[in-house]
Amino acid sequence: MFPCVAYKCLTAPPVALLTVIQNTSNILLSLSFSLSLSLSLSLSLSLFLPFHSEFLDIWDVDMMRRPNEINKMQHHTVSYNSDYLVVRRGQEFQVKITFNRPYKPAEDKFAVEFTIGSSPQFSKGTYIPVFPTSERQSSWEGRITNTSENTVTLGITTAANCIVGKYHLYVAVMTPFGIRRTRRDDSRALYILFNPWAAADAVFLDDEEQRQECVMTEMGIIYHGAYDDISERNWNYGQFNYGVLDACLYIMDRSDMPITNRGDPIKVTRKASAMLNSRDDDGVLVGNWSGDYTYGVAPTSWTGSTEILLSYASSKMPVCYAQCWVYAAVFNTFLRCLGIPARVVTNYYSAHDNDGNLKTDIILDDNGRIDRNRTKDSIWNYHCWNECYMSRPDLPTGFGGWQVVDATPQETSDGMYRCGPASVQAIKHGQTCYPFDAAFVFAEVNSDVVFYSRRKDGTMDPVKVNQTHVGRMILTKAPGDMTRLDITDQYKFPEGSKEERTVLEKAEEYGCKREKSNPPEADVDLVLPTLEINMGDDFELSLEFINRSDQRRVVEAYISGSVVYYTGVTSSEFLFRDPTVTIGPKKSVKEVVVIESKNYMKRLVEQANLHFIVTGKVKETGQIVTAMKVVTLHNPKLIVTVSDGGRVNEEMMATVEFTNPFNFSLEGVYIRMEGPGLMPPKFKYYSLIPRGSSLTWTEFFTPQRAGSTRVIATLDCPALSQVHGQATLTIAP
């Protein structure tokens, strides 16, 4: 007769699960129970007790979980593709409870109970009873917002620091025979997330434009390339897609993170930065910088996070493969999905030194030529990490706000491959002692590039210090726009300023070692041009030697051109010249080197970066001149088009076109395509695209949501990667 309820026998339960204390003015329920044991005690009231119409009984519980109802609309969770109620903590939501008769506040006693985890306990905040009267309240507030005949609408305000995750709801009523409680029903489960709209929440972000961008926006732009030749990569974060929220919670489950820690954004982000990589905990993504992606998906081929997260959650195995922007993009999805404001950041010329100092060491032989065998430090052309927004009660006032977290496995922190959260303000002000990993991030944006001359006896002398090369520019996507936002000034003071010197001195106090020597500058300058070159083109590299002295100068130069990975690691050298350049007083001379595509094309690795380093010794003074330049070759584009119109639930068509512009065939080609609110990730394989030939791939899709969105596509094969295309469209309701 009452399918949604069960009776808890209080006369002689085999385990002491429930104690009822009754007096003339109040009924107090104190619970400490194991849910599985509690459910096993459920007995049907109709089997053991005669029906008594005067007792309050539960007929129905309405979670008000539909997208057009008040809960999801007020909690900014309408976009979640979930059949369950999704709300944010620290903010009221409503539940409708229908009884067998009108509720009488003076006589009837009921509570709504929430449980999370396998062994809910009141003392640990994993069992929370909520009462409808102001006289009796727990850590979560309850109030009756409406009464209509037999239906009571209860407003429930969760604590702003409560555990984030999937809860189960029960309704319990007091009868003369004991407590009558609803059975466990998955339809009454709900998700509670972090709430950047609630001032009492640790992730509160008091900027609506930033909240819309860093929590609600699904389509992102990740910047790559070089600081003077910036490229963009579209990415579908897909934080609202079906199954993604469960996948994010599974990551925390897989990490064995105590359920009681899951309300603290500091602990959640630190644990997640370890779990997003697979190095020491079978986390989400396997890193691979080798160029061989035979047993997985090439990092440059991914278009979004959904496929990666769903694959990990279903297979329980790490997904192959990732590089820094993939780690950052998937981490961004995790953070936004749980309600933590987050954005992907790109640092151009990011230092990764191997001996824990503030120096990136480049070793030259005594003639001024780079010694690649002894040069171990690397400067990444760019490196992507995440910023997330939260208060930092563990740090002094002023160090909350944006925090760096990085899932790319570079160095261990407290025994695991993870990084952060590190306060951006702490990094800017040289407070590298503050947790977590501020010193590592500080070095990534502040290292000096030091050139050492190695003598034949093995001793080394610093001959040049470049203090401006590393951390040249730090970018993220601008809120509410498809343009970039330069945030370099949030990480460091202007180069050469008094504030910068103070910061570096402060960092030294905390153990960051710098190069103290100040070798005299050469009176010859060396300038390399900025080049924009298409892949497969021949081009000229014009080096300009400028003599600032009043005397003639002779430079014995070494010009090296290498194919490098974006991490700065050399793959192979394709060019070497050693000209001797004579420059008159106060004159300049240009040395032109012709670069033929046949010399570099067969050596290219993914991302197609050419790295030119020019070093030399001035014969008259013994001074060293150096210059470095990264040239990112521009790839052909995919042409993506969509059919006209565009309405929710009306079929549309997307077409991807590509023409092979090279004089060689492309083999083993994968094309991937997806779009937020439009289509799930799809891919198509082509075994061969002959030189000069074209392909066309068409997919039908049905838009699920109104608004502006994009279809994005990538092409990837062993000989060609980083080929992108996108089409922007607006879907009408």
Side-chain angles (χ1 to χ4, degrees):
M1 187 172 183
F2 305 109
C4 71
V5 295
Y7 175 66
K8 305 296 181 190
C9 177
L10 299 181
T11 53
V15 264
L17 300 174
L18 244 179
T19 306
V20 177
I21 305 170
Q22 187 170 2
N23 57 37
T24 56
S25 61
N26 194 13
I27 296 176
L28 175 66
L29 296 107
S30 68
L31 299 116
S32 177
F33 64 95
S34 164
L35 189 58
S36 57
L37 288 176
S38 173
L39 292 174
S40 69
L41 297 177
S42 299
L43 303 171
S44 172
L45 181 63
S46 60
L47 294 176
F48 291 92
L49 294 173
F51 178 74
H52 198 309
S53 61
E54 292 183 11
F55 302 149
L56 189 68
D57 207 358
I58 310 155
W59 277 14
D60 185 46
V61 180
D62 180 0
M63 300 294 290
M64 301 177 68
R65 55 186 173 150
R66 287 172 285 278
N68 59 348
E69 291 185 287
I70 189 171
N71 284 335
K72 286 188 174 181
M73 294 179 68
Q74 289 188 346
H75 285 253
H76 310 277
T77 58
V78 171
S79 297
Y80 283 88
N81 188 351
S82 173
D83 295 331
Y84 297 100
L85 177 61
V86 183
V87 295
R88 301 187 188 275
R89 65 185 190 177
Q91 181 177 341
E92 186 178 76
F93 66 94
Q94 299 187 24
V95 174
K96 287 183 179 179
I97 305 167
T98 302
F99 297 106
N100 61 318
R101 61 167 174 75
Y103 167 67
K104 302 173 184 176
E107 302 175 13
D108 299 325
K109 306 294 181 182
F110 79 92
V112 177
E113 304 168 337
F114 295 87
T115 66
I116 187 170
S118 57
S119 300
Q121 298 179 41
F122 181 82
S123 61
K124 293 186 176 180
T126 53
Y127 163 76
I128 308 98
V130 178
F131 303 98
T133 59
S134 58
E135 293 80 18
R136 298 208 44 234
Q137 292 292 328
S138 66
S139 58
W140 295 11
E141 296 179 5
R143 68 185 184 100
I144 293 177
T145 61
N146 187 54
T147 302
S148 177
E149 297 181 345
N150 295 1
T151 300
V152 170
T153 303
L154 184 67
I156 300 162
T157 303
T158 60
N161 62 349
C162 74
I163 296 166
V164 165
K166 188 176 183 179
Y167 287 76
H168 289 276
L169 177 148
Y170 303 85
V171 181
V173 296
M174 179 61 70
T175 77
F177 305 99
I179 296 175
R180 186 163 163 75
R181 176 178 289 109
T182 55
R183 288 189 177 93
R184 177 168 174 143
D185 186 334
D186 281 343
S187 70
R188 289 192 287 277
L190 73 157
Y191 297 89
I192 298 179
L193 310 179
F194 292 100
N195 192 351
W197 282 268
D201 197 307
V203 303
F204 174 61
L205 175 57
D206 193 16
D207 184 328
E208 181 60 22
E209 187 178 40
Q210 286 281 14
R211 286 193 295 246
Q212 289 300 318
E213 177 65 38
C214 298
V215 181
M216 303 299 293
T217 298
E218 291 180 274
M219 177 59 69
I221 296 175
I222 300 172
Y223 297 98
H224 62 108
Y227 90 99
D228 54 359
D229 187 14
I230 297 166
S231 300
E232 298 179 354
R233 175 184 284 108
N234 286 271
W235 193 273
N236 178 17
Y237 296 122
Q239 66 265 35
F240 304 126
N241 285 350
Y242 184 82
V244 169
L245 178 53
D246 283 322
C248 293
L249 296 179
Y250 169 71
I251 291 170
M252 291 196 286
D253 291 340
R254 182 70 178 268
S255 73
D256 294 326
M257 183 181 190
I259 200 109
T260 52
N261 289 348
R262 299 185 192 183
D264 184 343
I266 299 172
K267 294 176 180 177
V268 168
T269 54
R270 184 150 177 79
K271 178 64 75 172
S273 75
M275 277 303 298
L276 264 293
N277 68 72
S278 64
R279 281 294 292 267
D280 39 26
D281 47 18
D282 288 330
V284 178
L285 282 159
V286 179
N288 186 342
W289 285 263
S290 71
D292 181 5
Y293 310 116
T294 304
Y295 300 105
V297 176
T300 50
S301 187
W302 298 111
T303 52
S305 305
T306 302
E307 185 178 356
I308 294 169
L309 288 168
L310 296 187
S311 176
Y312 181 70
S314 61
S315 71
K316 312 293 190 288
M317 296 289 290
V319 178
C320 302
Y321 292 105
Q323 291 176 5
C324 73
W325 72 91
V326 183
Y327 285 116
V330 177
F331 201 175
N332 216 53
T333 300
F334 174 91
L335 295 166
R336 290 187 182 184
C337 183
L338 295 184
I340 301 174
R343 59 192 186 185
V344 175
V345 168
T346 301
N347 177 36
Y348 285 96
Y349 293 141
S350 189
H352 184 191
D353 65 86
N354 284 278
D355 46 13
N357 55 32
L358 282 180
K359 300 184 298 180
T360 298
D361 304 330
I362 297 179
I363 315 301
L364 310 176
D365 63 24
D366 57 357
N367 293 318
R369 181 178 179 181
I370 188 169
D371 187 338
R372 295 192 181 277
N373 292 327
R374 290 184 170 88
T375 299
K376 302 299 183 184
D377 292 350
S378 64
I379 302 172
W380 295 34
N381 295 346
Y382 66 91
H383 178 51
C384 298
W385 59 65
N386 301 85
E387 287 182 358
C388 53
Y389 198 92
M390 66 184 72
S391 62
R392 289 298 300 268
D394 58 324
L395 301 181
T397 303
F399 292 98
W402 291 113
Q403 312 288 315
V404 171
V405 286
D406 190 350
T408 301
Q410 297 182 87
E411 301 291 340
T412 58
S413 172
D414 296 333
M416 300 186 75
Y417 281 95
R418 57 184 168 187
C419 181
S423 166
V424 174
Q425 279 295 306
I427 294 162
K428 181 173 182 176
H429 290 88
Q431 300 286 356
T432 57
C433 62
Y434 290 154
F436 297 91
D437 310 308
F440 182 79
V441 183
F442 185 86
E444 287 184 296
V445 300
N446 283 295
S447 286
D448 296 336
V449 180
V450 184
F451 292 84
Y452 289 92
S453 179
R454 187 178 187 275
R455 298 173 182 170
K456 287 183 170 60
D457 62 2
T459 59
M460 294 196 301
D461 299 315
V463 292
K464 184 175 180 179
V465 179
N466 187 333
Q467 298 178 333
T468 63
H469 185 72
V470 169
R472 186 73 63 90
M473 182 165 57
I474 304 171
L475 297 180
T476 190
K477 179 182 174 295
D481 200 355
M482 286 299 195
T483 58
R484 56 183 179 255
L485 177 66
D486 189 332
I487 57 172
T488 311
D489 63 350
Q490 296 185 24
Y491 280 82
K492 53 203 298 189
F493 290 100
E495 299 284 356
S497 66
K498 178 182 177 181
E499 293 88 351
E500 186 207 24
R501 288 194 298 272
T502 302
V503 164
L504 294 173
E505 290 169 2
K506 176 68 70 176
E508 284 186 278
E509 293 177 12
Y510 294 120
C512 293
K513 299 177 182 178
R514 298 180 61 218
E515 179 57 52
K516 292 296 185 64
S517 62
N518 187 23
E521 288 189 15
D523 52 18
V524 175
D525 292 333
L526 177 54
V527 179
L528 294 181
T530 297
L531 300 172
E532 293 189 10
I533 309 298
N534 291 325
M535 183 184 290
D537 287 355
D538 299 339
F539 63 96
E540 292 183 348
L541 181 69
S542 178
L543 293 71
E544 186 176 13
F545 293 81
I546 304 170
N547 181 4
R548 293 185 283 106
S549 75
D550 296 326
Q551 299 176 348
R552 190 188 74 156
R553 292 288 183 253
V554 177
V555 179
E556 295 172 341
Y558 297 92
I559 305 169
S560 171
S562 302
V563 171
V564 295
Y565 295 95
Y566 84 98
T567 57
V569 175
T570 298
S571 171
S572 61
E573 188 176 62
F574 68 88
L575 170 74
F576 180 75
R577 300 279 190 277
D578 56 351
T580 299
V581 182
T582 302
I583 321 146
K586 301 292 184 180
K587 300 288 186 181
S588 66
V589 172
K590 288 190 176 181
E591 182 77 17
V592 177
V593 180
V594 176
I595 312 296
E596 297 183 75
S597 62
K598 65 181 181 182
N599 293 327
Y600 68 76
M601 282 295 291
K602 57 189 175 185
R603 293 181 169 91
L604 284 181
V605 293
E606 78 264 16
Q607 302 200 42
N609 293 310
L610 306 182
H611 192 201
F612 295 97
I613 298 181
V614 183
T615 61
K617 179 181 282 190
V618 181
K619 192 173 183 180
E620 290 80 6
T621 64
Q623 295 170 331
I624 298 294
V625 295
T626 65
M628 296 184 292
K629 176 67 68 175
V630 174
V631 176
T632 301
L633 299 177
H634 291 201
N635 291 330
K637 300 291 185 184
L638 293 178
I639 299 173
V640 182
T641 56
V642 294
S643 55
D644 293 335
R647 290 185 174 276
V648 173
N649 294 327
E650 290 186 7
E651 190 174 65
M652 298 182 67
M653 181 173 66
T655 301
V656 178
E657 298 176 79
F658 175 74
T659 299
N660 179 2
F662 304 113
N663 59 3
F664 55 88
S665 297
L666 299 175
E667 300 179 358
V669 178
Y670 281 92
I671 301 181
R672 309 178 91 85
M673 175 167 51
E674 66 176 293
L678 299 175
M679 68 172 79
K682 299 175 182 288
F683 74 90
K684 195 171 182 66
Y685 175 75
Y686 296 86
S687 59
L688 183 72
I689 305 177
R691 60 183 183 178
S693 66
S694 300
L695 64 85
T696 300
W697 173 30
T698 299
E699 280 285 343
F700 291 91
F701 64 93
T702 304
Q704 300 300 309
R705 294 197 302 269
S708 179
T709 185
R710 285 187 174 190
V711 174
I712 57 177
T714 65
L715 179 146
D716 201 275
C717 67
L720 181 65
S721 63
Q722 301 262 91
V723 179
H724 308 286
Q726 68 276 331
T728 302
L729 64 160
T730 300
I731 303 300

